[in-house]
Amino acid sequence: MRNEELTELAQQLRVDSVRAADAAGSGHPTSSMSAADLAAVLLAHHLRYDFSDPENPANDRLIFSKGHASPLLYSLYKAAGAIDDEELLTFRKRGSRLEGHPTPRLPWVDVATGSLGQGLPVGVGMALGGKYLDRLPYRVWVLSGDSEMAEGSVWEAVEHASFEKLANLKLIIDVNRLGQRGPTRHQHDLDAYARRLRAFGWHTVEVDGHDVEAVDKALTEAVEVDERPTAVIAATRKGRGVAVVEDQEGKHGKPLPDAETAIEELGGPRFVTVEVEPPPAASGRRDRDRGPLELPRFETGTEEATRTAYGRALAALGSARGDVVALDAEVGDSTRTEYFGKEHPDRYLEFYIAEQQLVAGAVGLQACGWVPYASTFAAFLTRAHDFVRMAAVSRAGINLVGSHAGVSIGEDGPSQMGLEDLAMLRSVHGSTVLYPCDANQTARLVAAMADLDGIRYLRTSRGETPVIYGPDEEFPIGGSKVLRGGEGDKATIVAAGVTVHEALRAADALAADGIPVRVVDLYSVKPVDVDTLNDAAGATGCVLTVEDHRPEGGIGDAVAEAFSDGRPAPRLARLAVRDMPLSAKPEEQLHAAGIDAESIAAAVKLLVERVIAH
């Protein structure tokens, strides 16, 4: 396209952004209008994409990190012929694919955006996949707003992209000066952004974002840089082209007050279409063959840490499946992810101490067809909760593994103890939450996770625990195991992970005192085994949950919810970590928290006495 045609395309994108927001009665047209020239040049001259085949692995990736500028993205799709004008005007309406912020309901959207500061970290994951895993020549284009450059996650991504020499990652920053409530930190000081990015090793280009010829040259320069990532830093004006809103405060997130007049000022509707350049052939893509899976086998009666079983099972899974990748946050020796790294170093990605980038990398990789397992301490996954939440919005399929869970880690103290992770992951839409108690169970669940949908979380423990299941035992997702039980049981103890073994010891002690109890290993915390829990409650009349976790949102709540659909509820009591732990040995920690065998037995006796009294 000639420069005049690019300008016309940019005006069309502005007009369509105004029209879409006006039809919806809401949206962010001014944030879309500022980046219209950038988007027009990118679409017409630099994006390589087959809109008829969005699954083509060689397609460039386009991430609108400033997801509130969705009217601009949808206007791009219209210009490319992917949607028509009728659908454009369904923006933000119930049932429309054109949501307020983009989601993968649209086949050309790889990941959901809208929580600022996430597009670039996810783009890092995609760029890693293209450069080091698939070895495909696609580029990852990320359109970012200037406000989100204040997010710490952006700088995790900036540093990692530079360290990995991700020349296939191209960041375009729409510096339109105004945020939601007023000016941004650096306003139009482009060099303030450039200095910071260059300090991390990026190539930078500063440009007038409304000069299509200059933008074209800047994007061409970005494409030609082949040793490091590039940022095109573009000065723009919010609401460009309509005097009543251009560069004016207080106009963020609102339809234009007089859309008809604004459209006239912009020159009226256009119907420019763009023949987007197709991607190159996807030759040389890495083979992702599958072979037989031989999981590690652990002998019953021995002891092994579930984190060790996880590492060994993951390495075995990597041997059987070429699509499995492991992501570490510089704790691979502790999580045991290093076992995978030693056997499959070409599919082992180190993200260092950057948990937001760790999860974002997993989201980006799964969008490229990989099956990522991202591991760190359970406590530190909480830092990345928003990325996990947005991964669910992205319909992403990722495996998260949190080790060193609970007070049972011992002397390290509360800063290292994952005590909120079950609640966090249970609250995520469509998630699966697993908490194995022994090595063989862990290995089976690690393998099962690979074929599940959505966010999958496995909680592992630091210390060694007895192997109580045989290596051929099966553990269906949504199931549980009744480890003790019979007629005449006086109560049910529901446990998971380390507390299963405490519950078994308590059951033996109670049996010696003439109080038979049922013990349920609730290894699937979500989805929970409602039928087994209801059967146990009906048979025993009272249920005690015991967990190495805070009382809010964990196993106790999962069990309580099993009786919330109108079924008769048993007398329910909970043991959990209610105080702030201190440094102590693991067995001392369990006792201090009131979740060891002695505490469980005492709680059962009290519970049974109360039932008899009533």
Side-chain angles (χ1 to χ4, degrees):
M1 276 187 171
R2 299 189 308 272
N3 291 337
E4 297 81 3
E5 294 173 311
L6 290 172
T7 298
E8 282 297 293
L9 174 59
Q11 289 294 83
Q12 173 177 306
L13 298 177
R14 289 189 175 94
V15 168
D16 284 346
S17 295
V18 170
R19 294 173 62 232
D22 184 62
S26 64
H28 295 75
T30 59
S31 297
S32 300
M33 295 159 74
S34 63
D37 299 292
L38 301 169
V41 175
L42 176 62
L43 182 72
H45 286 183
H46 300 280
L47 187 70
R48 301 178 302 181
Y49 198 96
D50 184 351
F51 279 91
S52 68
D53 183 16
E55 300 298 320
N56 188 327
N59 280 335
D60 280 358
R61 311 288 170 166
L62 176 59
I63 303 174
F64 263 50
S65 189
K66 52 176 290 179
H68 54 286
S70 58
L72 175 60
L73 180 63
Y74 305 148
S75 298
L76 276 179
Y77 291 159
K78 177 193 166 187
I83 66 172
D84 58 23
D85 194 66
E86 182 180 1
E87 183 170 15
L88 177 70
L89 298 182
T90 68
F91 175 54
R92 287 191 168 215
K93 292 183 171 62
R94 181 174 177 83
S96 173
R97 299 187 299 171
L98 311 186
E99 299 184 67
H101 293 75
T103 73
R105 288 185 62 199
L106 287 163
W108 316 285
V109 174
D110 289 309
V111 293
T113 53
S115 183
L116 295 178
Q118 296 203 15
L120 187 62
V122 171
V124 165
M126 293 180 176
L128 285 167
K131 180 173 182 176
Y132 293 111
L133 297 176
D134 277 321
R135 293 187 284 273
L136 289 173
Y138 64 73
R139 306 160 185 153
V140 181
W141 299 94
V142 178
L143 177 64
S144 171
D146 48 356
S147 289
E148 66 183 292
M149 296 300 290
E151 289 280 6
S153 58
V154 168
W155 299 99
E156 288 186 13
V158 166
E159 182 166 24
H160 200 68
S162 177
F163 177 79
E164 297 288 357
K165 297 180 172 57
L166 298 180
N168 55 347
L169 181 62
K170 316 296 181 182
L171 172 64
I172 303 172
I173 308 175
D174 177 25
V175 185
N176 64 25
R177 192 185 76 83
L178 293 174
Q180 183 182 41
R181 54 105 208 111
T184 58
R185 177 179 290 159
H186 301 299
Q187 299 195 50
H188 274 143
D189 184 357
L190 301 189
D191 190 53
Y193 297 101
R195 290 194 310 270
R196 288 158 173 78
L197 287 158
R198 288 196 300 267
F200 282 98
W202 281 55
H203 180 73
T204 62
V205 187
E206 299 174 36
V207 68
D208 176 352
H210 299 310
D211 181 338
V212 292
E213 182 177 5
V215 169
D216 196 16
K217 290 179 180 179
L219 295 184
T220 299
E221 181 177 335
V223 167
E224 292 174 348
V225 174
D226 61 3
E227 295 182 353
R228 51 183 171 158
T230 297
V232 174
I233 308 166
T236 66
R237 293 168 72 86
K238 204 164 187 175
R240 172 72 168 182
V242 177
V244 72
V245 295
E246 182 170 335
D247 200 33
Q248 299 296 310
E249 295 185 27
K251 307 300 181 183
H252 180 89
K254 301 174 183 177
L256 269 59
D258 185 346
E260 185 176 347
T261 300
I263 291 168
E264 183 178 347
E265 187 176 352
L266 290 167
R270 280 88 159 167
F271 301 95
V272 178
T273 58
V274 178
E275 291 291 332
V276 179
E277 181 182 353
S283 60
R285 192 183 190 199
R286 179 192 288 272
D287 194 2
R288 303 184 188 182
D289 285 346
R290 293 196 186 193
L293 174 59
E294 297 183 8
L295 289 171
R297 299 170 71 87
F298 302 91
E299 186 178 347
T300 56
T302 62
E303 292 194 351
E304 190 61 85
T306 56
R307 60 171 173 155
T308 301
Y310 159 66
R312 290 182 58 186
L314 184 62
L317 187 63
S319 297
R321 294 184 53 156
D323 59 350
V324 170
V325 293
L327 289 67
D328 176 47
E330 204 183 304
V331 287
D333 55 339
S334 294
T335 64
R336 303 297 195 247
T337 311
E338 66 178 4
Y339 295 172
F340 184 100
K342 291 175 181 177
E343 294 192 27
H344 312 288
D346 57 335
R347 284 182 279 139
Y348 183 77
L349 301 175
E350 180 58 69
F351 286 87
Y352 304 94
I353 304 297
E355 290 84 9
Q356 294 177 100
Q357 180 58 72
L358 173 80
V359 176
V363 173
L365 287 164
Q366 66 82 38
C368 299
W370 295 94
V371 180
Y373 283 73
S375 311
T376 186
F377 284 20
F380 306 148
L381 274 174
T382 59
R383 185 190 299 265
H385 182 227
D386 189 35
F387 281 80
V388 178
R389 179 186 71 87
M390 284 300 296
V393 179
S394 290
R395 283 74 165 169
I398 61 173
N399 301 287
L400 303 175
V401 181
S403 72
H404 291 60
V407 300
S408 60
I409 70 167
E411 292 88 343
D412 278 348
S415 69
Q416 311 298 296
M417 297 172 176
L419 291 168
E420 304 82 15
D421 54 312
L422 294 179
M424 180 181 84
L425 271 300
R426 283 186 65 243
S427 69
V428 173
H429 174 75
S431 63
T432 300
V433 180
L434 307 170
Y435 186 13
C437 73
D438 90 337
N440 285 319
Q441 188 179 65
T442 302
R444 288 282 183 164
L445 294 177
V446 168
M449 291 169 73
D451 293 316
L452 299 177
D453 294 326
I455 312 303
R456 294 90 81 169
Y457 178 58
L458 183 81
R459 190 184 211 227
T460 65
S461 301
R462 178 184 189 181
E464 295 181 347
T465 52
V467 179
I468 61 174
Y469 295 111
D472 297 317
E473 188 91 19
E474 295 186 358
F475 303 94
I477 304 302
S480 64
K481 292 290 183 179
V482 179
L483 296 173
R484 296 281 194 277
E487 292 188 14
D489 289 339
K490 302 298 184 184
T492 299
I493 305 171
V494 181
V498 296
T499 59
V500 168
H501 306 286
E502 299 298 322
L504 290 173
R505 284 192 280 272
D508 292 341
L510 288 164
D513 290 339
I515 307 175
V517 296
R518 191 166 302 192
V519 176
V520 176
D521 172 12
L522 199 74
Y523 64 83
S524 180
V525 182
K526 181 186 178 183
V528 73
D529 188 350
V530 173
D531 291 339
T532 295
L533 290 174
N534 276 276
D535 289 346
T540 65
C542 53
V543 174
L544 174 72
T545 63
V546 53
E547 58 190 307
D548 195 359
H549 185 271
R550 294 293 180 197
E552 298 85 4
I555 294 168
D557 279 354
V559 171
E561 289 167 12
F563 308 117
S564 63
D565 62 353
R567 303 188 189 192
R571 182 175 291 274
L572 183 62
R574 306 182 186 190
L575 298 182
V577 182
R578 300 179 184 275
D579 296 327
M580 183 60 68
L582 305 172
S583 290
K585 295 179 180 179
E587 60 272 18
E588 294 172 328
Q589 296 278 21
L590 293 171
H591 183 71
I595 56 174
D596 64 340
E598 181 182 344
S599 303
I600 295 169
V604 168
K605 289 179 180 179
L606 182 60
L607 189 60
V608 170
E609 288 174 3
R610 288 178 176 173
V611 170
I612 294 173
H614 284 80

